[in-house]
């Protein structure tokens, strides 16, 4: 790992560091977590290539392994060799493509990651087919549930235009009914 051909670190990117230490150190310390939780390497590779962090040779090297864990290890090796900017961009991909890397969201919260202004201008495209399909299903369900059929099924009404009157009842631990509540403010007045 000490031999890092094609390192892209320069004086501009060397100034990009997390508040507590370096991104390279963060990746090294959390390598085991990342290797076990990153299940989609193609999204990482696609984004590194799109932003010209990975050359075709880097892509070929990372893609030659048969297991996801080995691919993640090689990607981490390449990322660490390329410096702080690429290391932060790796974390930024995990942070931005939440559907593809949902298992890592608690880890990102734990480390308190907030992207730097420099990295935020970089684009991240979620190329994970499973999460893209999930997004498509969410869109379709949202579109389909926008309208509600009337009981006669002769017309569709906008769901948001349909008013539903709700009734809130007060009950004790034994399940005995104490009556209804006419409004939320009634919970806090003298009778509530």
């Amino acid at each position: 790992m000490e031999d890092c051909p094609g390192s892209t670190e320069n004086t501009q990117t060397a100034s990009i560091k997390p508040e507590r230490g370096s991104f390279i150190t963060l990746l090294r310390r959390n390598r085991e977590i990342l290797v076990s939780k990153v299940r989609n390497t193609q999204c990482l590779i696609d984004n590194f290539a799109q932003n010209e962090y990975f050359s075709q040779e880097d892509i070929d090297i990372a893609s030659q392994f048969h297991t996801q864990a080995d691919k993640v290890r090689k990607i981490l090796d390449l990322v660490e060799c390329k410096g702080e900017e690429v290391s932060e961009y790796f974390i930024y991909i995990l942070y931005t493509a939440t559907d593809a890397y949902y298992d890592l969201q608690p880890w990102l919260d734990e480390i308190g990651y907030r992207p730097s202004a420099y990295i935020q201008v970089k684009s991240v495209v979620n190329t994970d087919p499973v999460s893209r399909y999930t997004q498509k299903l969410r869109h379709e369900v949202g579109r389909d549930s926008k309208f509600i059929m009337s009981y006669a099924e002769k017309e569709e009404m906008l769901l948001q235009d349909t008013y539903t009157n709700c009734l809130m009842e007060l009950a004790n631990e034994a399940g005995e009914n104490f009556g209804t509540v006419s409004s939320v403010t009634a919970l806090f007045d003298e009778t509530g």
Side-chain angles (χ1 to χ4, degrees), residues 75-112:
I75 290 170
L76 285 169
D77 291 344
L78 290 167
V79 163
E80 290 171 14
C81 286
K82 293 182 179 282
E84 287 295 325
E85 179 181 342
V86 182
S87 296
E88 182 183 2
Y89 187 68
F90 176 89
I91 297 170
Y92 184 60
I93 295 169
L94 304 177
Y95 177 81
T96 307
T98 54
D99 284 344
Y101 303 105
Y102 61 89
D103 287 344
L104 286 164
Q105 298 312 306
W107 175 75
L108 290 166
D109 292 340
E110 180 184 317
I111 65 169

Side-chain angles (χ1 to χ4, degrees), residues 7-16 82-85 118:
S7 177
T8 59
E9 177 127 34
N10 60 33
T11 55
Q12 178 189 6
T13 61
S15 65
I16 302 170
K82 293 182 179 282
E84 287 295 325
E85 179 181 342
Y118 183 80

Side-chain angles (χ1 to χ4, degrees), residues 137-155:
L137 288 177
R138 280 188 199 132
H139 175 73
E140 287 179 10
V141 166
R143 188 187 62 208
D144 291 345
S145 62
K146 184 177 180 182
F147 293 96
I148 187 169
M149 294 293 292
S150 68
Y151 287 111
E153 294 187 18
K154 294 182 179 175
E155 65 178 299

Side-chain angles (χ1 to χ4, degrees), residues 35-153:
V35 169
S36 66
K37 300 265 185 191
V38 171
R39 292 189 174 90
N40 181 334
T41 54
Q42 194 57 49
C43 184
L44 291 166
I45 291 170
D46 291 344
N47 281 287
F48 285 129
Q50 177 187 340
N51 285 280
E52 299 178 354
Y53 288 130
F54 274 16
S55 65
Q56 187 59 47
E57 181 182 0
D58 294 332
I59 294 168
D60 293 341
I61 290 169
S63 300
Q64 73 182 352
F65 295 94
H66 297 291
T67 66
Q68 286 297 95
D70 288 339
K71 287 179 184 180
V72 173
R73 285 184 194 98
K74 183 45 83 174
I75 290 170
L76 285 169
D77 291 344
L78 290 167
V79 163
E80 290 171 14
C81 286
K82 293 182 179 282
E84 287 295 325
E85 179 181 342
V86 182
S87 296
E88 182 183 2
Y89 187 68
F90 176 89
I91 297 170
Y92 184 60
I93 295 169
L94 304 177
Y95 177 81
T96 307
T98 54
D99 284 344
Y101 303 105
Y102 61 89
D103 287 344
L104 286 164
Q105 298 312 306
W107 175 75
L108 290 166
D109 292 340
E110 180 184 317
I111 65 169
Y113 175 70
R114 296 293 170 253
S116 66
Y118 183 80
I119 288 295
Q120 284 181 352
V121 299
K122 305 282 183 182
S123 67
V124 172
V125 178
N126 186 351
T127 60
D128 175 41
V130 173
S131 59
R132 290 177 69 189
Y133 183 69
T134 303
Q135 289 172 347
K136 179 182 174 188
L137 288 177
R138 280 188 199 132
H139 175 73
E140 287 179 10
V141 166
R143 188 187 62 208
D144 291 345
S145 62
K146 184 177 180 182
F147 293 96
I148 187 169
M149 294 293 292
S150 68
Y151 287 111
E153 294 187 18

